[in-house]
Amino acid sequence: WGDAEATPIQAKTVPALLEGRDVVGIAQTGTGKTAAFALPVLAVLDYKNRAPQVLVLCPTRELSMQVADAFRSYAKGSPGCRVVTLCGGNDMRQQLKSLKEGVQIVVATPGRLLDHLKRGSADFSQIKTVVLDEADEMLRMGFIDDVDTILAKTPRQRKVALFSATMPKRVRDIANKHLSNPAEISVAAAATTNENIEQCYWLAKGASKLEALKRLLAFEDTEGVIVFTRTRESTTVIAGQLRQSGLKASPL
């Protein structure tokens, strides 16, 4: 890291993982949790062995690609580190080719990984570490039973690091079932708000969110608005829906 200072989640998680402990980390996006699990994993990776040794489960394709890129960046000085991303929207043939050629780190979404397990194309016999990234999001998206199934197919002696912004009962159940005496680490995201910013929110169900957004935009007297969405695809969809309503909108 050079002169870089570790974030609180990194300072607490890295030593626990290097000691070989399971970890439950309650941390939001932006706290540095990717480096918190990636760096200790890379420190003990067997680079000569081209069998999957690390499995990272993510709720979305976007996060999977982001985490895989982080691993590649951190491992730049380590020759022979191979990472594959297994998620929907990516070429299955290329994924099969990468797995056949050999990889040490698998970053995947639960659904696509189950596809590979059914095909017999993913060998978990040498998995040493499993990371569940944003477990509460996997629960929200309906993947938590798939996560349970996947964990049951990994070696019993593997270590597990579970990260979640919140700890719903079902996520806690997964931790109690698959983790052994984990180190519990809770880190709040550092957040500051300018005093001249007024914040408010509306509670809206999925079917009514677009209508609520259009009403808000009609009410707000402003020169410009930024609308944040969860995925890249939804930026295009929402911008198109706003244009159909006569509003000037563009996805970024």
Side-chain angles (χ1 to χ4, degrees), residues 16-37:
L17 290 177
L18 289 176
E19 290 170 5
R21 295 195 63 183
D22 287 354
V23 169
V24 170
I26 303 175
Q28 298 177 344
T29 299
T31 54
K33 59 184 170 61
T34 301
F37 62 74

Side-chain angles (χ1 to χ4, degrees), residues 124 146-156 158 177-178:
F124 280 0
D146 293 342
V147 171
D148 195 2
T149 300
I150 291 166
L151 282 170
K153 294 181 180 295
T154 58
R156 292 186 62 182
R158 85 288 185 256
K177 179 178 179 181
H178 294 285

Side-chain angles (χ1 to χ4, degrees), residues 35-128:
F37 62 74
L39 292 172
V41 159
L42 289 170
V44 297
L45 197 70
D46 182 355
Y47 292 91
K48 295 181 180 179
N49 181 9
R50 282 197 177 182
Q53 301 166 47
V54 180
L55 169 63
V56 183
L57 288 177
C58 301
T60 65
R61 174 177 179 269
E62 289 81 8
L63 182 59
S64 298
M65 297 178 69
Q66 178 182 326
V67 170
D69 286 344
F71 268 105
R72 295 186 185 101
S73 176
Y74 298 146
K76 272 185 178 179
S78 304
C81 181
R82 296 173 65 89
V83 184
V84 66
T85 308
L86 307 180
C87 53
N90 289 3
D91 188 350
M92 173 65 87
R93 290 171 298 179
Q94 183 58 49
Q95 293 175 14
L96 292 169
K97 181 174 181 289
S98 296
L99 289 168
K100 188 174 182 179
E101 291 175 348
V103 299
Q104 294 103 352
I105 300 169
V106 175
V107 184
T109 52
R112 178 52 64 93
L113 187 59
L114 282 179
D115 290 342
H116 280 282
L117 288 175
K118 291 173 183 176
R119 284 172 173 260
S121 51
D123 176 17
F124 280 0
S125 62
Q126 298 186 55
I127 289 289
K128 298 176 182 177

Side-chain angles (χ1 to χ4, degrees), residues 3-22:
D3 295 329
E5 184 177 344
T7 66
I9 189 69
Q10 293 164 1
K12 295 179 180 180
T13 300
V14 170
L17 290 177
L18 289 176
E19 290 170 5
R21 295 195 63 183
D22 287 354

Side-chain angles (χ1 to χ4, degrees), residues 132-143:
L132 307 181
D133 197 4
E134 297 193 1
D136 52 349
E137 279 298 297
M138 287 191 273
L139 170 65
R140 188 190 66 81
M141 297 174 69
F143 295 145

Side-chain angles (χ1 to χ4, degrees), residues 215-226:
R215 291 186 183 186
L216 176 63
L217 294 176
F219 173 77
E220 284 292 319
D221 182 17
T222 179
E223 295 182 358
V225 173
I226 299 176

